[in-house]
Amino acid sequence: MRSKKGPFKGRQFTAEVILWAVRWYLQFPISYRDLERMLADRGVAVDHTTLFRWIQAYAPELDKRLRPHLRLTTGSWRVDETYVKVKGRWMYLYRAVDARGQTIDFLFSAKRDAAAARRFFRKALKQAHTVNPRTLTVDKNAAYPSACKAMKKSGELWRFTKLRQVKYLNNIVEQDHRRSKRLVRPGLGFKSFHTARRTIAGYEILAMVRKGQVTAMPANDMPAQATFIAHLFGRTA
């Protein structure tokens, strides 16, 4: 979307309705048809296919607009991948949290290898809310030592970063995967890689909101979250 045209220009519905629907879909395990019924109950007739288009347009936009407001995470990274089905094929969602359970970053990938691990680490290290890790706790996947070694050699990763392949220390990120799985389940999988990538970006950034990672936005204050997000889009809730 081009911001100079306005993020809601040409939409049939108001920004308030669109942002309400997008926030609810990305935070709760509901299907598009469930959300269609919820809106109808409030006197808003919108088709589930339109809701899908809203998610595809505004989930990545939410991710982009909220990231500058994320609180700083710690240097203890817990990294793992979980599986997401796309058109009958399993793909991989790389995720990392810090020792407090705060989300560091995520990456959706068609492959699970050293190249994907490097892409994930590079993406995470570029974010304003992250720091170069003191420790990287991972599972026994051989791709991680390879990616870590290559990135230290190139200077992308701090050379004193300690890589720990200790499964039980990663329980915190494995537990965190459950939220993502719960949100994906009502949709019965995704139809394309790009659809999944855009939707997951929305799931993950709204999870950061719920965890209280956004400055000046209380973790469990839904009205305050609605107001803040509306402000990010140049609106008043």
Side-chain angles (χ1 to χ4, degrees), residues 84-95:
V84 177
K85 185 169 285 188
V86 178
K87 208 172 182 179
R89 175 187 169 194
W90 289 111
M91 295 190 182
Y92 308 94
L93 176 59
Y94 284 81
R95 304 181 68 250

Side-chain angles (χ1 to χ4, degrees), residues 58-201:
Y58 296 106
E61 191 70 14
L62 268 173
D63 180 55
K64 183 177 74 175
R65 294 181 185 231
L66 281 167
R67 278 185 182 263
H69 303 277
L70 293 175
R71 302 180 192 277
L72 197 66
T73 52
T74 72
S76 177
W77 292 19
R78 315 297 175 89
V79 182
D80 193 28
E81 328 88 52
T82 189
Y83 300 91
V84 177
K85 185 169 285 188
V86 178
K87 208 172 182 179
R89 175 187 169 194
W90 289 111
M91 295 190 182
Y92 308 94
L93 176 59
Y94 284 81
R95 304 181 68 250
V97 302
D98 67 14
R100 299 175 300 172
Q102 303 292 282
T103 300
I104 290 168
D105 211 349
F106 56 90
L107 177 77
F108 191 56
S109 174
K111 296 183 178 181
R112 180 176 179 253
D113 54 21
R118 288 197 299 273
R119 285 198 305 274
F120 173 54
F121 290 145
R122 285 170 183 151
K123 179 174 181 279
L125 288 166
K126 288 178 181 177
Q127 306 307 316
H129 69 284
T130 66
V131 296
N132 222 300
R134 300 186 309 276
T135 57
L136 276 172
T137 304
V138 299
D139 59 17
K140 297 295 184 179
N141 183 352
Y144 287 120
S146 174
C148 186
K149 182 178 179 180
M151 292 184 71
K152 283 184 176 182
K153 186 176 181 179
S154 67
E156 297 173 279
L157 187 67
W158 188 40
R159 63 191 181 95
F160 294 113
T161 296
K162 182 179 180 182
L163 183 71
R164 301 184 299 186
Q165 289 186 287
V166 184
K167 185 173 175 57
Y168 80 90
L169 290 176
N170 256 10
N171 287 342
I172 187 171
V173 66
E174 290 175 0
Q175 292 290 328
D176 206 58
H177 287 333
R178 293 182 179 181
R179 174 200 51 80
S180 298
K181 291 287 191 181
R182 188 169 66 249
L183 292 172
V184 169
R185 197 171 297 121
L188 303 177
F190 296 100
K191 299 299 185 290
S192 75
F193 177 86
H194 294 295
T195 293
R197 180 176 55 80
R198 294 186 190 103
T199 307
I200 288 169

Side-chain angles (χ1 to χ4, degrees), residues 11-44:
R11 299 291 182 185
Q12 180 182 352
F13 294 86
T14 65
E16 180 184 12
V17 169
I18 293 171
L19 289 176
W20 183 89
V22 170
R23 287 192 306 107
W24 277 67
Y25 182 82
L26 295 174
Q27 290 189 78
F28 302 107
I30 54 177
S31 68
Y32 288 114
R33 292 185 184 273
D34 289 336
L35 186 55
E36 179 183 343
R37 295 187 188 99
M38 292 167 66
L39 285 163
D41 187 57
R42 288 156 177 79
V44 180

